Amino acid sequence: MLRHTVGRAYDDLAHLAERGPLRTRGTSPVVRDIGYFEPRPGALEVFARIGAGDRLRAMAFRLERGRDLRWRCTAVEVGGPRRTRADDD
């Protein structure tokens, strides 16, 4: 999915891949529910509730359609608020 991301979403996905927040022992993560909101044409805000072992996690991401009509992920979050960085100032 990294090749379909832009901007900060790329860094956020790479960080999530390193952390593996949905990994569990003995069970695979399962999507329990999904939904979306279209704030404007060409943009979707999508969420998923994911069961991982005995925990339920949330994942949200934003997709935007570019001029080339390809969809790209422009934001992603799992579980809680975004991590902070010094370069966000």
Side-chain angles (χ1 to χ4, degrees):
M1 187 163 162
L2 288 176
R3 68 184 180 149
H4 300 287
T5 62
V6 294
R8 182 179 176 145
Y10 184 93
D11 295 333
D12 290 344
L13 274 176
H15 178 74
L16 287 170
E18 291 172 3
R19 277 192 21 228
L22 300 177
R23 288 188 190 135
T24 60
R25 292 186 181 158
T27 60
S28 297
V30 176
V31 175
R32 302 282 185 200
D33 189 22
I34 58 172
Y36 71 94
F37 171 70
E38 186 176 1
R40 64 172 174 77
L44 294 172
E45 294 178 353
V46 183
F47 76 87
R49 290 187 193 103
I50 302 167
D54 61 350
R55 298 182 72 184
L56 187 62
R57 302 294 300 257
M59 179 176 192
F61 53 96
R62 182 177 174 99
L63 300 173
E64 295 186 24
R65 189 172 28 205
R67 291 182 186 185
D68 60 0
L69 301 181
R70 294 173 65 195
W71 289 92
R72 290 180 180 81
C73 179
T74 59
V76 63
E77 292 184 22
V78 173
R82 285 185 172 176
R83 63 191 173 100
T84 58
R85 285 203 217 143
D87 61 353
D88 281 353
D89 297 326

